[in-house]
Amino acid sequence: MDQLDQLEAKSLFILREAYREFRSLCMLWSIGKDSTVLLWLARRAFFGHVPFPLVHIDTHFKIPEMITYRDRLARELRLDMVYGENAAALAQQETFPDGKVDRMTCCRSLKRDALRHTLAGDWPRYRLDHGSGEYRLDPSREPYTGVIVGARADEEGSRSKERYFSPRDQSSEWDVGDQPPELWNQFKTDFAPGTHVRVHPLLDWTELNVWEYIEREGIPVVSLYFDQGEGRRYRSLGCWPCTQPVASEARSVADIVSELRSGKFARVAERAGRAQDQEDGGGLETLRREGYM
């Protein structure tokens, strides 16, 4: 069993534990490489079927190709696809691209608030109707109390403080200093009523592991990750006004694996192209403490 086999086996175990322990479970799908690998692992864990909804928080400022990819894959794989949004902030143009707020305020509004209220079920959610191929208002307002997330410990500092099963309070707020120990692969999955739990099956994976797995399994990813002939590609995907590509001539998954193994980005943070990270002092812990994904 090689390293990827070991990572895969542990992630499958955590996914199955989450499905067994949490009645109202969903999985966040940001459309990026990590959560798409997580989607593939979920299909493997449950024999080709994903037995819980995939939830995407749509800021309406994602790079358009990302949304096209999301909906194509959701239809092809017959995924139970749900999205939520901060409709009021969008309608009032209280966003950074509209020039009314700074980047961090925009993130809090379009991502943090939208996520908290979408998970709680107190804001409208939209579910893909596979009959028509369109999204319809979801009549269900049941809160999701178990949320599977594709966070990796090596991606940025605050993620390295997570547990495989990380509790939040009823408002989705995170007390970093009050988390259960996880020793010798013994996970705490029994929490008090009302606890909201984030589940992190990819915590041990690195950026290189993710791309090696994508290569090994032939997982389709958004073409934005590849150089289209301009000597640039996206290393991390987000909203178009705040996300910049990196200099790279990698045109395939094999090229990206080779590039990462070469150490080209060894001293460059994976999210260096995310402008909001710079405004937050280089970390996302503040947002994550408040319920950010």
Side-chain angles (χ1 to χ4, degrees), residues 126-272:
Y126 299 88
R127 188 179 296 268
L128 180 61
D129 175 359
H130 284 280
S132 66
E134 304 296 327
Y135 286 88
R136 310 287 188 196
L137 182 65
D138 186 358
S140 171
R141 290 297 185 93
E142 181 181 6
Y144 298 120
T145 52
V147 184
I148 304 169
V149 186
R152 300 185 347 256
D154 80 324
E155 187 179 354
E156 59 85 30
S158 67
R159 286 170 167 82
S160 67
K161 301 175 184 177
E162 293 281 9
R163 300 291 190 267
Y164 299 103
F165 292 86
S166 291
R168 264 66 168 170
D169 67 14
Q170 291 184 343
S171 300
S172 292
E173 294 186 0
W174 181 35
D175 184 349
V176 183
D178 183 20
Q179 300 193 88
E182 290 180 330
L183 303 174
W184 303 291
N185 288 338
Q186 300 298 307
F187 309 127
K188 177 178 171 56
T189 57
D190 183 18
F191 296 96
T195 304
H196 167 102
V197 179
R198 301 282 177 92
V199 184
H200 301 110
L202 297 186
L203 216 52
D204 295 332
W205 295 56
T206 66
E207 182 184 12
L208 176 59
N209 294 148
V210 166
W211 281 110
E212 289 174 331
Y213 193 74
I214 288 170
E215 182 179 42
R216 189 181 88 171
E217 301 297 319
I219 300 172
V221 294
V222 186
S223 62
L224 295 164
Y225 281 118
F226 308 117
D227 173 28
Q228 306 293 321
E230 298 178 346
R232 304 192 307 166
R233 70 174 184 85
Y234 286 90
R235 192 174 168 203
S236 178
L237 295 177
C239 294
W240 63 262
C242 299
T243 309
Q244 296 298 319
V246 297
S248 168
E249 295 180 350
R251 297 192 176 198
S252 66
V253 175
D255 288 346
I256 293 175
V257 170
S258 177
E259 186 174 66
L260 291 173
R261 286 177 178 164
S262 76
K264 174 179 177 177
F265 293 119
R267 296 183 179 276
V268 181
E270 186 176 342
R271 292 174 60 98

Side-chain angles (χ1 to χ4, degrees), residues 41-86:
L41 289 166
R43 296 177 74 224
R44 177 148 298 176
F46 302 104
F47 307 100
H49 171 62
V50 182
F52 32 73
L54 267 71
V55 175
H56 179 236
I57 300 304
D58 196 343
T59 64
H60 295 267
F61 291 104
K62 297 296 183 186
I63 303 170
E65 189 172 343
M66 295 170 65
I67 302 301
T68 301
Y69 166 85
R70 178 196 73 183
D71 292 342
R72 178 177 59 79
L73 211 60
R75 293 182 182 113
E76 288 178 0
L77 301 180
R78 305 290 295 179
L79 301 173
D80 184 6
M81 188 72 223
V82 173
Y83 82 81
E85 62 187 5
N86 188 338

Side-chain angles (χ1 to χ4, degrees), residues 266-286:
R267 296 183 179 276
V268 181
E270 186 176 342
R271 292 174 60 98
R274 301 286 198 101
Q276 72 270 34
D277 286 26
Q278 314 309 318
E279 280 195 12
D280 193 35
L284 286 175
E285 187 164 319
T286 308

